Amino acid sequence: MYKFPENFLWGAATSAPQSEGHGSKNGKTPTTWDKWYELSPDKFTPNQGPETTSNMYNMYKDDAKLMSDISMNSFRTSISWARLLPDGKTVNEEAVTFYRDYFTELLKNNVKPVINLFHFDMPWWLMEKGGWEARESVDAFAFYAKTAFELFGDQVDTWATFNEPIVHVECGYLYGYHYPAIHDFKKAIQVGYNTIMAHTKAVAAYKELKQEGKIGIILNVSPCYSRGETEGDALAAKQADLLNTKSFLDPVVLGEFPVELKELLAANDLLPETVAGDKELIAENKVDFIGLNYYQPRRVQEPKEKLVGNATDPSDFYIPYIWPERKMNEYRGWEIYPEALYDVAIMMKEDYGNIPWFVSENGMGVAQEERFMDESGQIQDDYRIEFMMDHLKELHRGIEAGSNCFGYHTWTFIDCWSWLNGYTNRYGFYRMELDDNFERTLKKSGIWFKELAETNGFKG
Ligand code: BGP
């Protein structure tokens, strides 16, 4: 029997843009996703834009009940910045009513709301001013965060500032997957830096309000393993870790950037512009907890050609390595490697002062799940149960070794819209039909999860 600590959080995560729907209604202004779909629909799965998603805007009451039906004790979603503050300044009262009622329903169903403020959904009005490239975005975000704390702080005691902030950095400014889809390493670093400052000022605003709650951030973690044949491979892994993991974890948990990261950026003329006082603010506003989204490891090797001093892309430091023994989730193209979760747990214990943390996303997206529907209409997603079990065993091993993990959230509760893949890959405990009723049906994994949550563990 694998038993987990008392009061362990068992739940699932989603985001406002991927679940609410009503993308252009009820006072909400467009985000980069709404606009990008309007301007370049060819970048998306055909006819699958961000307008309706899972329709939780209308169905949250029933959905809160569905959460309680599978004994979820917690649920992460985000607030939509463009819904709450359509012009960045004026509160949309309809949004306040919606979120207050949504959170009330969760609480009534004994589901703790874990509320995040930014999940890739940059308001268009701010993008037009440069988005995270512009320093102005830092104060705009801090104002939004403070507004949200004031409006919902009596209902929500666990806040996150950002979800996977490195994703909007790399996908928007290096790899072309998110708007504005440009390639500029220097801008990418500036965007990352401004994001950290926005996070820091939001944490400062929260602490100033002296509400009785905790604030953290959700980071994606892909532990880095090198091919390991040469010294260059080891260096590649180290630099990949500095750029992708320590760049965010160190300032938010330890209160400063790693010296080696600053040296690496300086040597390549990539240091961002800063403002006097930033360093002190970062040092004074560490987080209370960390959420870590874990899907896949990062395997790297040294690049074939070394560009000394004028890197224009992370691939000048490291390139992917394909481990011959890897096991893949072919639908998503991600390696499945549960052992990394143990390594993550130990990293948090040893390198980050054993700060409280939780697995804030872990999951398996599978295409055409209707293939696995039995006669009663239930999806027999045994592969998902196996995936969770394998990861939970490794997490358990990390907790036994002393890591301070307080919960496990899957991606996701109800099948939802994906930025890059529309509704192709399904992740939910509940299947969602793409019809006018958005019908939800429990999958086998939801039943397994219910027992897991109720017994606070499982038999291996
Ligand atoms: C995480 C994001 C989620 C979600 C998930 C699944 O990185 O935080 O928003 O989308 O990945 O990924 P995908 O939708 O690309 O399959």
Side-chain angles (χ1 to χ4, degrees):
M1 186 78 191
Y2 294 86
K3 270 276 174 198
F4 286 81
E6 250 179 71
N7 303 320
F8 207 67
L9 292 189
W10 294 110
T14 189
S15 71
Q18 290 172 280
S19 64
E20 283 175 10
H22 277 221
S24 61
K25 299 191 188 105
N26 306 83
K28 181 176 159 293
T29 54
T31 65
T32 47
W33 292 95
D34 303 314
K35 268 285 168 191
W36 207 21
Y37 184 66
E38 186 187 311
L39 299 170
S40 311
D42 53 302
K43 302 267 183 217
F44 293 76
T45 307
N47 304 316
Q48 295 189 356
E51 180 62 28
T52 50
T53 63
S54 320
N55 195 29
M56 283 186 85
Y57 195 91
N58 291 319
M59 298 175 79
Y60 62 92
K61 281 200 174 118
D62 291 340
D63 288 342
K65 172 89 181 47
L66 294 182
M67 290 176 209
S68 137
D69 287 350
I70 56 167
S71 301
M72 281 169 52
N73 61 19
S74 47
F75 172 64
R76 172 166 66 101
T77 186
S78 62
I79 290 173
S80 160
W81 185 355
R83 188 185 298 291
L84 187 65
L85 294 172
D87 62 0
K89 296 187 187 89
T90 323
V91 172
N92 170 10
E93 289 305 333
E94 210 171 327
V96 178
T97 307
F98 162 62
Y99 286 116
R100 285 203 67 85
D101 206 38
Y102 190 169
F103 302 154
T104 303
E105 289 299 319
L106 294 176
L107 292 164
K108 264 204 318 218
N109 282 281
N110 297 317
V111 177
K112 176 189 182 67
V114 176
I115 300 303
N116 176 44
L117 294 170
F118 187 90
H119 200 122
F120 311 158
D121 50 344
M122 170 60 72
W124 186 252
W125 64 263
L126 186 52
M127 192 70 226
E128 285 186 308
K129 299 177 172 192
W132 294 119
E133 265 183 69
R135 180 74 192 201
E136 184 182 340
S137 61
V138 172
D139 289 323
F141 182 77
F143 174 74
Y144 155 53
K146 183 167 183 268
T147 308
F149 303 146
E150 283 168 348
L151 288 167
F152 311 114
D154 59 326
Q155 298 180 296
V156 176
D157 67 6
T158 307
W159 291 93
T161 53
F162 282 83
N163 176 79
E164 300 190 349
I166 201 151
V167 170
H168 67 250
V169 174
E170 60 185 14
C171 290
Y173 297 84
L174 289 170
Y175 304 138
Y177 298 125
H178 290 194
Y179 193 87
I182 57 172
H183 184 275
D184 187 322
F185 205 177
K186 190 145 178 130
K187 280 188 182 167
I189 302 289
Q190 188 69 56
V191 163
Y193 181 79
N194 288 346
T195 301
I196 286 170
M197 288 318 301
H199 156 86
T200 303
K201 288 205 173 184
V203 172
Y206 189 67
K207 297 202 165 160
E208 236 166 72
L209 288 172
K210 297 204 175 3
Q211 295 185 345
E212 279 174 27
K214 298 205 179 319
I215 187 153
I217 188 168
I218 310 289
L219 302 175
N220 46 318
V221 66
S222 289
C224 203
Y225 303 101
S226 82
R227 179 182 57 172
E229 287 177 7
T230 62
E231 258 178 47
D233 284 345
L235 181 66
K238 188 172 181 179
Q239 294 181 334
D241 228 23
L242 279 172
L243 284 165
N244 295 291
T245 306
K246 289 178 172 292
S247 51
F248 278 89
L249 255 181
D250 281 30
V252 304
V253 178
L254 305 176
E256 58 185 357
F257 288 100
V259 176
E260 286 169 307
L261 176 63
K262 290 194 272 190
E263 286 170 356
L264 186 69
L265 296 180
N268 288 278
D269 191 25
L270 289 168
L271 278 176
E273 278 174 29
T274 63
V275 170
D278 282 0
K279 201 172 160 205
E280 293 71 21
L281 266 182
I282 292 174
E284 285 157 15
N285 290 288
K286 298 179 200 166
V287 290
D288 300 317
F289 71 90
I290 287 283
L292 293 175
N293 296 351
Y294 173 66
Y295 289 91
Q296 55 168 343
R298 183 188 307 278
R299 298 196 186 273
V300 300
Q301 56 186 320
E302 64 178 323
K304 306 266 173 301
E305 240 178 86
K306 286 242 168 83
L307 283 180
V308 180
N310 53 354
T312 57
D313 190 85
S315 61
D316 292 327
F317 299 117
Y318 59 89
I319 56 171
Y321 166 61
I322 299 190
W323 184 40
E325 289 163 48
R326 72 181 185 168
K327 181 181 163 199
M328 291 294 286
N329 169 2
E330 299 293 351
Y331 307 102
R332 188 60 184 83
W334 286 347
E335 183 181 338
I336 300 179
Y337 187 65
E339 291 86 336
L341 210 42
Y342 173 77
D343 294 339
V344 166
I346 299 305
M347 171 185 81
M348 294 311 282
K349 179 178 170 218
E350 290 180 354
D351 301 344
Y352 293 98
N354 216 11
I355 186 172
W357 69 284
F358 78 118
V359 176
S360 38
E361 282 181 34
N362 179 232
M364 187 181 179
V366 171
Q368 295 167 332
E369 278 201 309
E370 54 283 2
R371 284 175 293 160
F372 306 110
M373 204 176 263
D374 71 5
E375 282 162 12
S376 73
Q378 185 177 72
I379 306 274
Q380 302 298 301
D381 53 347
D382 294 272
Y383 41 85
R384 184 164 290 115
I385 297 173
E386 188 187 320
F387 181 98
M388 289 190 283
M389 244 196 235
D390 290 347
H391 283 81
L392 283 168
K393 283 181 187 168
E394 293 296 332
L395 180 63
H396 188 266
R397 200 153 70 87
I399 295 172
E400 292 276 282
S403 190
N404 199 0
C405 176
F406 62 84
Y408 176 82
H409 278 187
T410 66
W411 187 267
T412 186
F413 161 53
I414 296 172
D415 290 345
C416 67
W417 179 80
S418 159
W419 320 96
L420 308 179
N421 301 305
Y423 300 97
T424 307
N425 296 321
R426 304 305 189 92
Y427 287 84
F429 288 134
Y430 287 88
R431 176 175 172 79
M432 188 185 78
E433 297 306 330
L434 301 181
D435 57 20
D436 292 345
N437 298 322
F438 301 90
E439 196 196 342
R440 283 95 154 104
T441 337
L442 186 59
K443 300 180 196 174
K444 187 176 175 185
S445 59
I447 296 172
W448 184 82
F449 190 83
K450 178 178 165 72
E451 198 176 329
L452 169 75
E454 284 172 4
T455 51
N456 201 29
F458 67 98
K459 277 203 196 102

